[in-house]
Amino acid sequence: MLHFRSLMNDYHLKDLSGKIKSVLYAKKKSGQYLTAYAPYGYRKSDEDKHRLVVDEEAATVVREIYRMRCSGMAYGKIAAALNEKSILSPRWHWELHYGKKGSCKYSKLWTYATVKNILNDTVYLGIVTQNRTGSRSYKDKTMIQKPETEWICHEDAHEAIVDRKLWETVQEKNRAVNLTLLRRYLERYLSNHPAIRVEDKRNPAIFMMVR
């Protein structure tokens, strides 16, 4: 009897989980913004909480971040410049403008990672990208990254903060910097390990550098 009851409970949980996921998936497909917090530079619309509108105060900072990167500044130097101007970090900005406590447990300072995330997020082009993560199953709530083929993207979902030309220029600089860092790492690695091990040759990046 207990085994049967356990099976029924498991079936009920699986069915309920499937229905919830179906509803959320349909909302994502329709372009509704379902994340709990709006990204820095935006806020949720007063009329529709599933739509983003520009937070002009923060958007001004986002545009400045893109301009600084376009001029050649590194992520860390951009963060330092913002901190020098006493511009609050995104979490503090949200709490002071839209939170209830008026304070925040997180740092007021900008970091390398925060700047990097902003400079690589397509949301600033007006694109909403959802369904990037999900749980393994209704039993295992461990969050996993989904393949890009399962992402749900909507262009022109909201007003863009940066234009396409500036975005592309920044992405080119990001790629160039990443390539330079990779080359420096490989040069150091190869200088210390002149004999490349067999397993290293399976790494496409190393193979391309040493072939």
Side-chain angles (χ1 to χ4, degrees):
M1 185 66 179
L2 288 175
H3 179 65
F4 175 75
R5 189 173 296 172
S6 177
L7 286 175
M8 290 301 295
N9 287 337
D10 186 68
Y11 172 81
H12 175 69
L13 288 174
K14 184 177 181 180
D15 182 59
L16 180 61
S17 175
K19 289 178 179 177
I20 292 174
K21 285 183 177 180
S22 294
V23 171
L24 291 176
Y25 187 81
K27 288 184 176 182
K28 291 173 184 177
K29 289 289 286 184
S30 69
Q32 294 185 44
Y33 186 82
L34 300 181
T35 306
Y37 300 101
Y40 184 71
Y42 292 97
R43 62 179 178 81
K44 292 189 175 183
S45 169
D46 295 330
E47 291 75 29
D48 181 1
K49 65 179 182 179
H50 297 307
R51 185 172 65 86
L52 297 177
V53 294
V54 174
D55 173 346
E56 198 52 51
E57 180 182 336
T60 300
V61 178
V62 171
R63 295 186 191 102
E64 182 60 22
I65 289 173
Y66 272 80
R67 283 193 288 267
M68 285 191 285
R69 183 60 169 173
C70 192
S71 70
M73 289 182 68
Y75 298 138
K77 288 188 176 181
I78 293 174
L82 296 172
N83 290 329
E84 189 175 339
K85 295 178 181 178
S86 300
I87 296 174
L88 293 176
S89 66
R91 286 184 180 272
W92 266 88
H93 175 84
W94 184 90
E95 187 60 53
L96 291 180
H97 289 77
Y98 311 111
K100 297 178 180 179
K101 298 178 181 178
S103 63
C104 180
K105 65 179 181 180
Y106 297 98
S107 173
K108 292 183 179 181
L109 300 178
W110 286 79
T111 65
Y112 173 103
T114 304
V115 171
K116 181 179 179 181
N117 289 339
I118 288 175
L119 288 168
N120 287 276
D121 198 336
T122 55
V123 72
Y124 300 109
L125 284 176
I127 301 173
V128 166
T129 304
Q130 301 185 105
N131 210 48
R132 292 184 179 182
T133 60
S135 58
R136 293 184 184 276
S137 71
Y138 69 99
K139 288 183 177 181
D140 185 355
K141 299 302 181 183
T142 303
M143 297 302 290
I144 59 172
Q145 292 289 330
K146 292 186 177 183
E148 195 169 340
T149 53
E150 295 184 21
W151 294 1
I152 300 173
C153 299
H154 285 272
E155 299 215 12
D156 300 319
H158 51 265
E159 182 182 348
I161 289 179
V162 298
D163 60 60
R164 176 72 63 171
K165 183 178 180 181
L166 177 57
W167 164 267
E168 293 295 348
T169 301
V170 167
Q171 300 317 306
E172 287 177 9
K173 288 187 177 294
N174 292 344
R175 287 190 289 269
V177 169
N178 290 338
L179 184 58
T180 299
L181 292 175
L182 176 61
R183 284 175 175 162
R184 287 177 182 172
Y185 168 78
L186 291 175
E187 286 170 1
R188 279 200 307 272
Y189 179 85
L190 296 177
S191 65
N192 295 326
H193 302 80
I196 304 300
R197 298 174 300 178
V198 174
E199 58 266 30
D200 289 329
K201 292 182 180 179
R202 295 172 186 162
N203 185 318
I206 293 180
F207 177 77
M208 290 297 290
M209 294 295 293
V210 301
R211 68 173 181 169

PDB file of all heavy atoms in Angstrom, residues 143-176:
ATOM      1  N   MET A 143      20.728  23.041 -11.048  1.00  0.00           N
ATOM      2  CA  MET A 143      20.632  23.843 -12.261  1.00  0.00           C
ATOM      3  C   MET A 143      21.765  23.502 -13.219  1.00  0.00           C
ATOM      4  O   MET A 143      22.913  23.353 -12.807  1.00  0.00           O
ATOM      5  CB  MET A 143      20.676  25.332 -11.915  1.00  0.00           C
ATOM      6  CG  MET A 143      19.508  25.795 -11.052  1.00  0.00           C
ATOM      7  SD  MET A 143      17.895  25.476 -11.818  1.00  0.00           S
ATOM      8  CE  MET A 143      17.935  26.655 -13.169  1.00  0.00           C
ATOM      9  N   ILE A 144      21.416  23.367 -14.498  1.00  0.00           N
ATOM     10  CA  ILE A 144      22.403  23.054 -15.527  1.00  0.00           C
ATOM     11  C   ILE A 144      22.289  24.055 -16.675  1.00  0.00           C
ATOM     12  O   ILE A 144      21.242  24.661 -16.885  1.00  0.00           O
ATOM     13  CB  ILE A 144      22.220  21.620 -16.072  1.00  0.00           C
ATOM     14  CG1 ILE A 144      20.803  21.459 -16.666  1.00  0.00           C
ATOM     15  CG2 ILE A 144      22.481  20.589 -14.992  1.00  0.00           C
ATOM     16  CD1 ILE A 144      20.591  20.155 -17.396  1.00  0.00           C
ATOM     17  N   GLN A 145      23.379  24.229 -17.402  1.00  0.00           N
ATOM     18  CA  GLN A 145      23.384  25.080 -18.585  1.00  0.00           C
ATOM     19  C   GLN A 145      22.806  24.303 -19.764  1.00  0.00           C
ATOM     20  O   GLN A 145      23.204  23.173 -20.011  1.00  0.00           O
ATOM     21  CB  GLN A 145      24.816  25.531 -18.911  1.00  0.00           C
ATOM     22  CG  GLN A 145      25.427  26.470 -17.894  1.00  0.00           C
ATOM     23  CD  GLN A 145      24.802  27.853 -17.934  1.00  0.00           C
ATOM     24  OE1 GLN A 145      24.351  28.308 -18.975  1.00  0.00           O
ATOM     25  NE2 GLN A 145      24.794  28.523 -16.794  1.00  0.00           N
ATOM     26  N   LYS A 146      21.867  24.906 -20.474  1.00  0.00           N
ATOM     27  CA  LYS A 146      21.269  24.254 -21.629  1.00  0.00           C
ATOM     28  C   LYS A 146      22.060  24.600 -22.900  1.00  0.00           C
ATOM     29  O   LYS A 146      22.675  25.667 -22.974  1.00  0.00           O
ATOM     30  CB  LYS A 146      19.811  24.699 -21.802  1.00  0.00           C
ATOM     31  CG  LYS A 146      18.890  24.210 -20.686  1.00  0.00           C
ATOM     32  CD  LYS A 146      17.448  24.547 -20.990  1.00  0.00           C
ATOM     33  CE  LYS A 146      16.521  24.000 -19.916  1.00  0.00           C
ATOM     34  NZ  LYS A 146      15.096  24.269 -20.234  1.00  0.00           N
ATOM     35  N   PRO A 147      22.040  23.716 -23.885  1.00  0.00           N
ATOM     36  CA  PRO A 147      22.737  24.030 -25.143  1.00  0.00           C
ATOM     37  C   PRO A 147      22.092  25.231 -25.826  1.00  0.00           C
ATOM     38  O   PRO A 147      20.890  25.491 -25.650  1.00  0.00           O
ATOM     39  CB  PRO A 147      22.555  22.754 -25.971  1.00  0.00           C
ATOM     40  CG  PRO A 147      21.366  22.065 -25.383  1.00  0.00           C
ATOM     41  CD  PRO A 147      21.391  22.390 -23.918  1.00  0.00           C
ATOM     42  N   GLU A 148      22.883  25.960 -26.597  1.00  0.00           N
ATOM     43  CA  GLU A 148      22.404  27.183 -27.233  1.00  0.00           C
ATOM     44  C   GLU A 148      21.209  26.932 -28.154  1.00  0.00           C
ATOM     45  O   GLU A 148      20.389  27.828 -28.373  1.00  0.00           O
ATOM     46  CB  GLU A 148      23.538  27.825 -28.022  1.00  0.00           C
ATOM     47  CG  GLU A 148      23.282  29.261 -28.432  1.00  0.00           C
ATOM     48  CD  GLU A 148      24.509  29.948 -28.960  1.00  0.00           C
ATOM     49  OE1 GLU A 148      25.635  29.481 -28.680  1.00  0.00           O
ATOM     50  OE2 GLU A 148      24.346  30.977 -29.658  1.00  0.00           O
ATOM     51  N   THR A 149      21.083  25.704 -28.659  1.00  0.00           N
ATOM     52  CA  THR A 149      19.959  25.365 -29.547  1.00  0.00           C
ATOM     53  C   THR A 149      18.622  25.414 -28.829  1.00  0.00           C
ATOM     54  O   THR A 149      17.570  25.509 -29.463  1.00  0.00           O
ATOM     55  CB  THR A 149      20.155  23.960 -30.149  1.00  0.00           C
ATOM     56  OG1 THR A 149      20.383  23.017 -29.081  1.00  0.00           O
ATOM     57  CG2 THR A 149      21.339  23.935 -31.102  1.00  0.00           C
ATOM     58  N   GLU A 150      18.643  25.366 -27.485  1.00  0.00           N
ATOM     59  CA  GLU A 150      17.401  25.394 -26.700  1.00  0.00           C
ATOM     60  C   GLU A 150      17.078  26.790 -26.156  1.00  0.00           C
ATOM     61  O   GLU A 150      16.040  26.981 -25.523  1.00  0.00           O
ATOM     62  CB  GLU A 150      17.484  24.394 -25.549  1.00  0.00           C
ATOM     63  CG  GLU A 150      17.565  22.940 -25.996  1.00  0.00           C
ATOM     64  CD  GLU A 150      17.559  21.971 -24.824  1.00  0.00           C
ATOM     65  OE1 GLU A 150      17.096  22.364 -23.727  1.00  0.00           O
ATOM     66  OE2 GLU A 150      18.027  20.828 -24.995  1.00  0.00           O
ATOM     67  N   TRP A 151      17.975  27.745 -26.388  1.00  0.00           N
ATOM     68  CA  TRP A 151      17.716  29.102 -25.911  1.00  0.00           C
ATOM     69  C   TRP A 151      16.541  29.702 -26.681  1.00  0.00           C
ATOM     70  O   TRP A 151      16.303  29.375 -27.849  1.00  0.00           O
ATOM     71  CB  TRP A 151      18.932  29.992 -26.104  1.00  0.00           C
ATOM     72  CG  TRP A 151      20.117  29.606 -25.269  1.00  0.00           C
ATOM     73  CD1 TRP A 151      20.219  28.559 -24.400  1.00  0.00           C
ATOM     74  CD2 TRP A 151      21.393  30.272 -25.242  1.00  0.00           C
ATOM     75  NE1 TRP A 151      21.464  28.516 -23.831  1.00  0.00           N
ATOM     76  CE2 TRP A 151      22.207  29.554 -24.335  1.00  0.00           C
ATOM     77  CE3 TRP A 151      21.907  31.379 -25.890  1.00  0.00           C
ATOM     78  CZ2 TRP A 151      23.518  29.940 -24.057  1.00  0.00           C
ATOM     79  CZ3 TRP A 151      23.223  31.760 -25.624  1.00  0.00           C
ATOM     80  CH2 TRP A 151      24.009  31.048 -24.716  1.00  0.00           C
ATOM     81  N   ILE A 152      15.826  30.602 -26.020  1.00  0.00           N
ATOM     82  CA  ILE A 152      14.702  31.298 -26.648  1.00  0.00           C
ATOM     83  C   ILE A 152      15.055  32.783 -26.719  1.00  0.00           C
ATOM     84  O   ILE A 152      15.206  33.443 -25.694  1.00  0.00           O
ATOM     85  CB  ILE A 152      13.401  31.107 -25.853  1.00  0.00           C
ATOM     86  CG1 ILE A 152      13.053  29.616 -25.768  1.00  0.00           C
ATOM     87  CG2 ILE A 152      12.257  31.881 -26.489  1.00  0.00           C
ATOM     88  CD1 ILE A 152      11.867  29.320 -24.866  1.00  0.00           C
ATOM     89  N   CYS A 153      15.210  33.295 -27.940  1.00  0.00           N
ATOM     90  CA  CYS A 153      15.629  34.685 -28.141  1.00  0.00           C
ATOM     91  C   CYS A 153      14.538  35.495 -28.829  1.00  0.00           C
ATOM     92  O   CYS A 153      13.887  35.004 -29.757  1.00  0.00           O
ATOM     93  CB  CYS A 153      16.908  34.752 -28.965  1.00  0.00           C
ATOM     94  SG  CYS A 153      18.312  33.912 -28.204  1.00  0.00           S
ATOM     95  N   HIS A 154      14.366  36.721 -28.375  1.00  0.00           N
ATOM     96  CA  HIS A 154      13.422  37.652 -28.990  1.00  0.00           C
ATOM     97  C   HIS A 154      14.129  38.979 -29.237  1.00  0.00           C
ATOM     98  O   HIS A 154      14.570  39.635 -28.299  1.00  0.00           O
ATOM     99  CB  HIS A 154      12.198  37.879 -28.094  1.00  0.00           C
ATOM    100  CG  HIS A 154      11.236  36.737 -28.076  1.00  0.00           C
ATOM    101  ND1 HIS A 154      10.218  36.602 -28.981  1.00  0.00           N
ATOM    102  CD2 HIS A 154      11.171  35.649 -27.268  1.00  0.00           C
ATOM    103  CE1 HIS A 154       9.546  35.496 -28.727  1.00  0.00           C
ATOM    104  NE2 HIS A 154      10.113  34.897 -27.697  1.00  0.00           N
ATOM    105  N   GLU A 155      14.265  39.344 -30.493  1.00  0.00           N
ATOM    106  CA  GLU A 155      14.877  40.625 -30.840  1.00  0.00           C
ATOM    107  C   GLU A 155      13.838  41.738 -30.748  1.00  0.00           C
ATOM    108  O   GLU A 155      12.639  41.494 -30.889  1.00  0.00           O
ATOM    109  CB  GLU A 155      15.471  40.556 -32.248  1.00  0.00           C
ATOM    110  CG  GLU A 155      16.555  39.493 -32.375  1.00  0.00           C
ATOM    111  CD  GLU A 155      17.670  39.918 -33.313  1.00  0.00           C
ATOM    112  OE1 GLU A 155      17.728  41.106 -33.684  1.00  0.00           O
ATOM    113  OE2 GLU A 155      18.481  39.049 -33.651  1.00  0.00           O
ATOM    114  N   ASP A 156      14.309  42.944 -30.487  1.00  0.00           N
ATOM    115  CA  ASP A 156      13.424  44.116 -30.354  1.00  0.00           C
ATOM    116  C   ASP A 156      12.345  43.887 -29.301  1.00  0.00           C
ATOM    117  O   ASP A 156      11.208  44.340 -29.439  1.00  0.00           O
ATOM    118  CB  ASP A 156      12.780  44.450 -31.705  1.00  0.00           C
ATOM    119  CG  ASP A 156      13.811  44.759 -32.772  1.00  0.00           C
ATOM    120  OD1 ASP A 156      14.795  45.453 -32.452  1.00  0.00           O
ATOM    121  OD2 ASP A 156      13.644  44.316 -33.923  1.00  0.00           O
ATOM    122  N   ALA A 157      12.713  43.160 -28.248  1.00  0.00           N
ATOM    123  CA  ALA A 157      11.756  42.903 -27.168  1.00  0.00           C
ATOM    124  C   ALA A 157      11.565  44.137 -26.291  1.00  0.00           C
ATOM    125  O   ALA A 157      10.549  44.278 -25.615  1.00  0.00           O
ATOM    126  CB  ALA A 157      12.240  41.725 -26.319  1.00  0.00           C
ATOM    127  N   HIS A 158      12.556  45.029 -26.321  1.00  0.00           N
ATOM    128  CA  HIS A 158      12.496  46.266 -25.545  1.00  0.00           C
ATOM    129  C   HIS A 158      13.463  47.257 -26.189  1.00  0.00           C
ATOM    130  O   HIS A 158      14.183  46.916 -27.130  1.00  0.00           O
ATOM    131  CB  HIS A 158      12.869  46.016 -24.080  1.00  0.00           C
ATOM    132  CG  HIS A 158      14.163  45.281 -23.923  1.00  0.00           C
ATOM    133  ND1 HIS A 158      14.241  43.907 -23.763  1.00  0.00           N
ATOM    134  CD2 HIS A 158      15.459  45.699 -23.926  1.00  0.00           C
ATOM    135  CE1 HIS A 158      15.490  43.532 -23.669  1.00  0.00           C
ATOM    136  NE2 HIS A 158      16.254  44.610 -23.768  1.00  0.00           N
ATOM    137  N   GLU A 159      13.479  48.462 -25.676  1.00  0.00           N
ATOM    138  CA  GLU A 159      14.356  49.500 -26.233  1.00  0.00           C
ATOM    139  C   GLU A 159      15.825  49.176 -25.964  1.00  0.00           C
ATOM    140  O   GLU A 159      16.210  48.824 -24.849  1.00  0.00           O
ATOM    141  CB  GLU A 159      14.004  50.849 -25.614  1.00  0.00           C
ATOM    142  CG  GLU A 159      14.818  52.016 -26.156  1.00  0.00           C
ATOM    143  CD  GLU A 159      14.483  53.332 -25.483  1.00  0.00           C
ATOM    144  OE1 GLU A 159      13.465  53.390 -24.758  1.00  0.00           O
ATOM    145  OE2 GLU A 159      15.257  54.299 -25.665  1.00  0.00           O
ATOM    146  N   ALA A 160      16.645  49.289 -27.000  1.00  0.00           N
ATOM    147  CA  ALA A 160      18.082  49.045 -26.850  1.00  0.00           C
ATOM    148  C   ALA A 160      18.750  50.233 -26.157  1.00  0.00           C
ATOM    149  O   ALA A 160      18.325  51.382 -26.311  1.00  0.00           O
ATOM    150  CB  ALA A 160      18.719  48.813 -28.212  1.00  0.00           C
ATOM    151  N   ILE A 161      19.795  49.961 -25.392  1.00  0.00           N
ATOM    152  CA  ILE A 161      20.557  51.013 -24.721  1.00  0.00           C
ATOM    153  C   ILE A 161      21.789  51.401 -25.541  1.00  0.00           C
ATOM    154  O   ILE A 161      22.205  52.557 -25.551  1.00  0.00           O
ATOM    155  CB  ILE A 161      20.954  50.573 -23.296  1.00  0.00           C
ATOM    156  CG1 ILE A 161      19.712  50.537 -22.398  1.00  0.00           C
ATOM    157  CG2 ILE A 161      22.002  51.504 -22.700  1.00  0.00           C
ATOM    158  CD1 ILE A 161      19.979  50.083 -20.979  1.00  0.00           C
ATOM    159  N   VAL A 162      22.384  50.418 -26.220  1.00  0.00           N
ATOM    160  CA  VAL A 162      23.533  50.700 -27.092  1.00  0.00           C
ATOM    161  C   VAL A 162      23.169  50.306 -28.522  1.00  0.00           C
ATOM    162  O   VAL A 162      22.382  49.386 -28.738  1.00  0.00           O
ATOM    163  CB  VAL A 162      24.806  49.943 -26.641  1.00  0.00           C
ATOM    164  CG1 VAL A 162      25.221  50.391 -25.259  1.00  0.00           C
ATOM    165  CG2 VAL A 162      24.593  48.438 -26.666  1.00  0.00           C
ATOM    166  N   ASP A 163      23.736  51.014 -29.500  1.00  0.00           N
ATOM    167  CA  ASP A 163      23.417  50.688 -30.889  1.00  0.00           C
ATOM    168  C   ASP A 163      24.284  49.531 -31.383  1.00  0.00           C
ATOM    169  O   ASP A 163      25.310  49.195 -30.789  1.00  0.00           O
ATOM    170  CB  ASP A 163      23.582  51.903 -31.800  1.00  0.00           C
ATOM    171  CG  ASP A 163      25.001  52.469 -31.790  1.00  0.00           C
ATOM    172  OD1 ASP A 163      25.933  51.731 -32.144  1.00  0.00           O
ATOM    173  OD2 ASP A 163      25.170  53.636 -31.405  1.00  0.00           O
ATOM    174  N   ARG A 164      23.875  48.943 -32.484  1.00  0.00           N
ATOM    175  CA  ARG A 164      24.532  47.753 -33.018  1.00  0.00           C
ATOM    176  C   ARG A 164      26.008  48.017 -33.359  1.00  0.00           C
ATOM    177  O   ARG A 164      26.865  47.169 -33.114  1.00  0.00           O
ATOM    178  CB  ARG A 164      23.779  47.281 -34.262  1.00  0.00           C
ATOM    179  CG  ARG A 164      24.401  46.109 -34.982  1.00  0.00           C
ATOM    180  CD  ARG A 164      24.276  44.805 -34.246  1.00  0.00           C
ATOM    181  NE  ARG A 164      22.908  44.374 -34.076  1.00  0.00           N
ATOM    182  CZ  ARG A 164      22.574  43.160 -33.606  1.00  0.00           C
ATOM    183  NH1 ARG A 164      23.528  42.300 -33.266  1.00  0.00           N
ATOM    184  NH2 ARG A 164      21.305  42.828 -33.447  1.00  0.00           N
ATOM    185  N   LYS A 165      26.299  49.184 -33.921  1.00  0.00           N
ATOM    186  CA  LYS A 165      27.679  49.488 -34.316  1.00  0.00           C
ATOM    187  C   LYS A 165      28.604  49.507 -33.114  1.00  0.00           C
ATOM    188  O   LYS A 165      29.704  48.928 -33.148  1.00  0.00           O
ATOM    189  CB  LYS A 165      27.728  50.837 -35.049  1.00  0.00           C
ATOM    190  CG  LYS A 165      29.107  51.199 -35.559  1.00  0.00           C
ATOM    191  CD  LYS A 165      29.085  52.529 -36.326  1.00  0.00           C
ATOM    192  CE  LYS A 165      30.475  52.883 -36.840  1.00  0.00           C
ATOM    193  NZ  LYS A 165      30.483  54.187 -37.560  1.00  0.00           N
ATOM    194  N   LEU A 166      28.180  50.174 -32.034  1.00  0.00           N
ATOM    195  CA  LEU A 166      29.003  50.241 -30.826  1.00  0.00           C
ATOM    196  C   LEU A 166      29.157  48.845 -30.227  1.00  0.00           C
ATOM    197  O   LEU A 166      30.254  48.464 -29.786  1.00  0.00           O
ATOM    198  CB  LEU A 166      28.362  51.191 -29.810  1.00  0.00           C
ATOM    199  CG  LEU A 166      29.068  51.329 -28.458  1.00  0.00           C
ATOM    200  CD1 LEU A 166      30.505  51.781 -28.648  1.00  0.00           C
ATOM    201  CD2 LEU A 166      28.307  52.287 -27.547  1.00  0.00           C
ATOM    202  N   TRP A 167      28.084  48.087 -30.213  1.00  0.00           N
ATOM    203  CA  TRP A 167      28.114  46.721 -29.682  1.00  0.00           C
ATOM    204  C   TRP A 167      29.145  45.867 -30.427  1.00  0.00           C
ATOM    205  O   TRP A 167      29.976  45.200 -29.815  1.00  0.00           O
ATOM    206  CB  TRP A 167      26.730  46.101 -29.779  1.00  0.00           C
ATOM    207  CG  TRP A 167      26.725  44.602 -29.615  1.00  0.00           C
ATOM    208  CD1 TRP A 167      26.788  43.675 -30.602  1.00  0.00           C
ATOM    209  CD2 TRP A 167      26.673  43.874 -28.388  1.00  0.00           C
ATOM    210  NE1 TRP A 167      26.782  42.407 -30.071  1.00  0.00           N
ATOM    211  CE2 TRP A 167      26.714  42.499 -28.721  1.00  0.00           C
ATOM    212  CE3 TRP A 167      26.592  44.247 -27.046  1.00  0.00           C
ATOM    213  CZ2 TRP A 167      26.669  41.501 -27.757  1.00  0.00           C
ATOM    214  CZ3 TRP A 167      26.556  43.239 -26.083  1.00  0.00           C
ATOM    215  CH2 TRP A 167      26.590  41.890 -26.443  1.00  0.00           C
ATOM    216  N   GLU A 168      29.089  45.902 -31.750  1.00  0.00           N
ATOM    217  CA  GLU A 168      30.002  45.087 -32.561  1.00  0.00           C
ATOM    218  C   GLU A 168      31.452  45.512 -32.358  1.00  0.00           C
ATOM    219  O   GLU A 168      32.349  44.673 -32.304  1.00  0.00           O
ATOM    220  CB  GLU A 168      29.631  45.185 -34.049  1.00  0.00           C
ATOM    221  CG  GLU A 168      28.291  44.555 -34.405  1.00  0.00           C
ATOM    222  CD  GLU A 168      28.268  43.051 -34.202  1.00  0.00           C
ATOM    223  OE1 GLU A 168      29.346  42.444 -34.008  1.00  0.00           O
ATOM    224  OE2 GLU A 168      27.170  42.468 -34.224  1.00  0.00           O
ATOM    225  N   THR A 169      31.686  46.820 -32.239  1.00  0.00           N
ATOM    226  CA  THR A 169      33.045  47.319 -32.006  1.00  0.00           C
ATOM    227  C   THR A 169      33.591  46.786 -30.690  1.00  0.00           C
ATOM    228  O   THR A 169      34.745  46.347 -30.603  1.00  0.00           O
ATOM    229  CB  THR A 169      33.064  48.861 -31.986  1.00  0.00           C
ATOM    230  OG1 THR A 169      32.583  49.360 -33.238  1.00  0.00           O
ATOM    231  CG2 THR A 169      34.479  49.380 -31.748  1.00  0.00           C
ATOM    232  N   VAL A 170      32.748  46.799 -29.662  1.00  0.00           N
ATOM    233  CA  VAL A 170      33.161  46.300 -28.340  1.00  0.00           C
ATOM    234  C   VAL A 170      33.425  44.798 -28.389  1.00  0.00           C
ATOM    235  O   VAL A 170      34.404  44.304 -27.818  1.00  0.00           O
ATOM    236  CB  VAL A 170      32.093  46.634 -27.274  1.00  0.00           C
ATOM    237  CG1 VAL A 170      32.347  45.849 -25.989  1.00  0.00           C
ATOM    238  CG2 VAL A 170      32.103  48.127 -26.982  1.00  0.00           C
ATOM    239  N   GLN A 171      32.581  44.058 -29.095  1.00  0.00           N
ATOM    240  CA  GLN A 171      32.780  42.605 -29.180  1.00  0.00           C
ATOM    241  C   GLN A 171      34.069  42.260 -29.913  1.00  0.00           C
ATOM    242  O   GLN A 171      34.759  41.295 -29.572  1.00  0.00           O
ATOM    243  CB  GLN A 171      31.586  41.934 -29.868  1.00  0.00           C
ATOM    244  CG  GLN A 171      30.248  42.139 -29.170  1.00  0.00           C
ATOM    245  CD  GLN A 171      30.330  41.997 -27.655  1.00  0.00           C
ATOM    246  OE1 GLN A 171      30.810  40.995 -27.126  1.00  0.00           O
ATOM    247  NE2 GLN A 171      29.878  43.019 -26.953  1.00  0.00           N
ATOM    248  N   GLU A 172      34.419  43.036 -30.921  1.00  0.00           N
ATOM    249  CA  GLU A 172      35.680  42.820 -31.639  1.00  0.00           C
ATOM    250  C   GLU A 172      36.870  43.036 -30.699  1.00  0.00           C
ATOM    251  O   GLU A 172      37.847  42.284 -30.736  1.00  0.00           O
ATOM    252  CB  GLU A 172      35.776  43.769 -32.838  1.00  0.00           C
ATOM    253  CG  GLU A 172      34.856  43.397 -33.994  1.00  0.00           C
ATOM    254  CD  GLU A 172      34.920  44.403 -35.127  1.00  0.00           C
ATOM    255  OE1 GLU A 172      35.799  45.290 -35.079  1.00  0.00           O
ATOM    256  OE2 GLU A 172      34.094  44.305 -36.048  1.00  0.00           O
ATOM    257  N   LYS A 173      36.780  44.072 -29.870  1.00  0.00           N
ATOM    258  CA  LYS A 173      37.847  44.320 -28.900  1.00  0.00           C
ATOM    259  C   LYS A 173      37.924  43.194 -27.880  1.00  0.00           C
ATOM    260  O   LYS A 173      39.018  42.763 -27.487  1.00  0.00           O
ATOM    261  CB  LYS A 173      37.614  45.665 -28.200  1.00  0.00           C
ATOM    262  CG  LYS A 173      37.872  46.872 -29.091  1.00  0.00           C
ATOM    263  CD  LYS A 173      37.797  48.161 -28.320  1.00  0.00           C
ATOM    264  CE  LYS A 173      38.140  49.342 -29.225  1.00  0.00           C
ATOM    265  NZ  LYS A 173      39.552  49.308 -29.674  1.00  0.00           N
ATOM    266  N   ASN A 174      36.754  42.701 -27.434  1.00  0.00           N
ATOM    267  CA  ASN A 174      36.735  41.596 -26.476  1.00  0.00           C
ATOM    268  C   ASN A 174      37.408  40.356 -27.059  1.00  0.00           C
ATOM    269  O   ASN A 174      38.198  39.687 -26.387  1.00  0.00           O
ATOM    270  CB  ASN A 174      35.296  41.260 -26.075  1.00  0.00           C
ATOM    271  CG  ASN A 174      34.647  42.356 -25.245  1.00  0.00           C
ATOM    272  OD1 ASN A 174      35.328  43.227 -24.718  1.00  0.00           O
ATOM    273  ND2 ASN A 174      33.337  42.313 -25.136  1.00  0.00           N
ATOM    274  N   ARG A 175      37.090  40.046 -28.317  1.00  0.00           N
ATOM    275  CA  ARG A 175      37.689  38.873 -28.957  1.00  0.00           C
ATOM    276  C   ARG A 175      39.195  39.040 -29.129  1.00  0.00           C
ATOM    277  O   ARG A 175      39.966  38.092 -28.933  1.00  0.00           O
ATOM    278  CB  ARG A 175      37.020  38.626 -30.318  1.00  0.00           C
ATOM    279  CG  ARG A 175      35.609  38.057 -30.219  1.00  0.00           C
ATOM    280  CD  ARG A 175      35.093  37.621 -31.578  1.00  0.00           C
ATOM    281  NE  ARG A 175      34.795  38.756 -32.432  1.00  0.00           N
ATOM    282  CZ  ARG A 175      33.602  39.355 -32.500  1.00  0.00           C
ATOM    283  NH1 ARG A 175      32.601  38.927 -31.733  1.00  0.00           N
ATOM    284  NH2 ARG A 175      33.398  40.370 -33.332  1.00  0.00           N
ATOM    285  N   ALA A 176      39.613  40.244 -29.492  1.00  0.00           N
ATOM    286  CA  ALA A 176      41.041  40.510 -29.680  1.00  0.00           C
ATOM    287  C   ALA A 176      41.803  40.347 -28.367  1.00  0.00           C
ATOM    288  O   ALA A 176      42.896  39.767 -28.330  1.00  0.00           O
ATOM    289  CB  ALA A 176      41.243  41.919 -30.241  1.00  0.00           C
TER     290      ALA A 176
END
